[in-house]
Amino acid sequence: MPGVMGIGVGYVNGKNNKKGACVVLYTLDASAAAKKGCPSCVALKRKKGGKNPKITSRVAVPVRTITSGRCSSHQKLQSAANYRRRIRPVVAGVSVGYPGASGTAGLIVTGAIRRAQRFLLSNNHVLNRNNSAGYSETIQPGGADGGRSGRDRIGQLYRFVRLRKNALNEMDAALSIPTSNDLLAPRYAKIGTIPGYVRSYAIGSRMKKVGRTTGFVTGVVESTHTDIKVDYGDYGGLGTIRFRNQTVIRSDTPISLPGDSGSVWLTANNYAAAVNFAGSADGKLSIAFPIHRAMRAFGVRVAQPTASLSKKRGKRRRRRNARK
């Protein structure tokens, strides 16, 4: 339908299940959608022993305005100074990108089997200059924050999920491999160590993240299983493309502005949950994909701090004493 940007599953009141679940419609013009009869849908229930569904009632469909979904990168915008400066080693939550563009370092990960190698996880459009397999230099800070080729190089594009123009996409994800493992620290800005990642989360869950532009922010999962259109402009010649089964996180203040692409949403107990890659024009909606998809696609896991030699020796000593 013209003007409809997305449709997902959420709660009627947008916060909890007191009034039940519903279909959430994201549109550019809520009033126009209402005139077309969008604020209600048919609830179907199968007859006992029958094959055909029977109309039992009509349920509310909240119509929520989204002022265009757009990828959150490639623009110069004032950001939280602490997260756009040059920092070594690089941690999750700070400015990263390629010459000319800045996004956010989402998470430091390692190979699920070869755990010695570290990688930086972010969006494809943050680490890949044109959605292709060509060489893309990774710099920190990103190009929009004064990062320069060579001088601020920390690695290069390693793997990515290609974004497709005429098909349904599931994620905007890529890995960068550092020139040296020591350039990446398995920490998350302001948070610290991330113990792992979750494979699911509920509507109404409270999330938090650190992004290059908005800094430390919080939000609530408004809808899941959301099919939505996202405008990539002239990046990779994509224009507006479609994604399926995404998550929309809402806040009363901006949580996804240009430069926040790639930032990773965490649960209350600091587990990685979803990767932000787009947002509404006012920044109050974050469009994100469940992080387990990228972990599975790339065969990686959340990187953990390496125990020092003295700590390892201490653990071995305690084990021996326990056996005695």
Side-chain angles (χ1 to χ4, degrees), residues 23 27 29 42 55 72-73 82 86 131 176 180 201 222 253 274 277 296 298 321:
V23 174
T27 177
D29 187 348
V42 177
I55 298 176
S72 302
S73 186
N82 288 340
R86 191 178 194 272
N131 191 38
S176 173
S180 169
Y201 40 84
E222 178 175 82
T253 57
F277 68 96
R296 182 179 64 245
F298 297 138
N321 292 338

Side-chain angles (χ1 to χ4, degrees), residues 1-7 25-33 36 38 63-69 228-229:
M1 182 178 292
V4 174
M5 299 300 294
I7 185 168
L25 188 69
Y26 296 99
T27 177
L28 293 175
D29 187 348
S31 60
K36 292 178 178 293
C38 295
V63 178
R64 292 163 186 164
T65 302
I66 175 172
T67 51
S68 78
I228 199 160
K229 300 175 184 177

Side-chain angles (χ1 to χ4, degrees), residues 29-319:
D29 187 348
S31 60
K35 291 177 183 178
K36 292 178 178 293
C38 295
S40 63
C41 69
V42 177
L44 302 178
K45 184 177 181 181
R46 293 189 182 279
K47 296 179 181 178
K48 187 176 182 179
K51 294 183 179 180
N52 297 321
K54 176 184 178 182
I55 298 176
T56 59
S57 63
R58 289 186 177 274
V59 297
V61 177
V63 178
R64 292 163 186 164
T65 302
I66 175 172
T67 51
S68 78
R70 61 183 64 178
C71 65
S72 302
S73 186
H74 302 285
Q75 298 183 36
K76 290 189 177 182
L77 191 76
Q78 187 174 3
S79 63
N82 288 340
Y83 306 117
R84 59 185 172 91
R85 63 183 175 86
R86 191 178 194 272
I87 180 174
R88 297 290 185 274
V90 180
V91 299
V94 301
S95 170
V96 74
Y98 52 81
S102 291
T104 300
L107 205 62
I108 310 304
V109 298
T110 62
I113 298 176
R114 297 180 179 179
R115 301 182 189 178
Q117 180 62 58
R118 292 176 182 169
F119 303 97
L120 188 153
L121 170 68
S122 188
N123 292 154
N124 176 14
H125 75 270
V126 170
L127 299 176
N128 187 341
R129 66 169 57 246
N130 58 5
N131 191 38
S132 74
Y135 173 80
S136 287
E137 181 183 24
T138 304
I139 58 176
Q140 197 291 315
D145 297 312
R148 296 182 182 179
S149 176
R151 184 193 70 182
D152 297 307
R153 180 173 182 261
I154 61 168
Q156 68 183 66
L157 178 69
Y158 180 66
R159 293 185 63 189
F160 70 100
V161 176
R162 189 182 300 276
L163 294 168
R164 298 174 293 172
K165 186 173 183 177
N166 298 312
L168 287 173
N169 297 275
E170 292 192 345
M171 70 185 98
D172 181 340
L175 291 180
S176 173
I177 186 169
T179 55
S180 169
N181 261 357
D182 294 338
L183 286 171
L184 302 181
R187 298 195 306 273
Y188 194 107
K190 193 179 177 66
I191 304 295
T193 300
I194 305 302
Y197 67 94
V198 296
R199 290 176 172 79
S200 64
Y201 40 84
I203 300 167
S205 297
R206 294 192 174 276
M207 300 284 191
K208 57 188 175 183
K209 74 175 178 69
V210 172
R212 169 262 184 200
T213 305
T214 53
F216 179 78
V217 295
T218 60
V220 176
V221 176
E222 178 175 82
S223 70
T224 58
H225 304 288
T226 306
D227 293 353
I228 199 160
K229 300 175 184 177
V230 176
D231 181 11
Y232 279 78
D234 59 1
Y235 172 74
L238 292 171
T240 298
I241 60 176
R242 295 173 62 195
F243 286 81
R244 65 180 175 185
N245 293 330
Q246 304 298 299
T247 297
V248 176
I249 299 171
R250 180 182 288 273
S251 179
D252 294 331
T253 57
I255 55 176
S256 181
L257 290 173
D260 285 327
S261 281
S263 52
V264 170
W265 286 101
L266 308 176
T267 62
N269 55 352
N270 298 338
Y271 280 79
V275 183
N276 171 75
F277 68 96
S280 55
D282 62 5
K284 295 181 180 181
L285 291 185
S286 164
I287 302 169
F289 65 86
I291 197 170
H292 72 84
R293 294 179 189 167
M295 297 302 211
R296 182 179 64 245
F298 297 138
V300 295
R301 58 190 295 167
V302 179
Q304 299 299 316
T306 303
S308 65
L309 183 59
S310 59
K311 289 183 178 179
K312 290 180 179 179
R313 289 173 177 171
K315 287 182 179 179
R316 287 197 293 267
R317 190 182 304 112
R318 287 192 292 273
R319 292 194 192 102

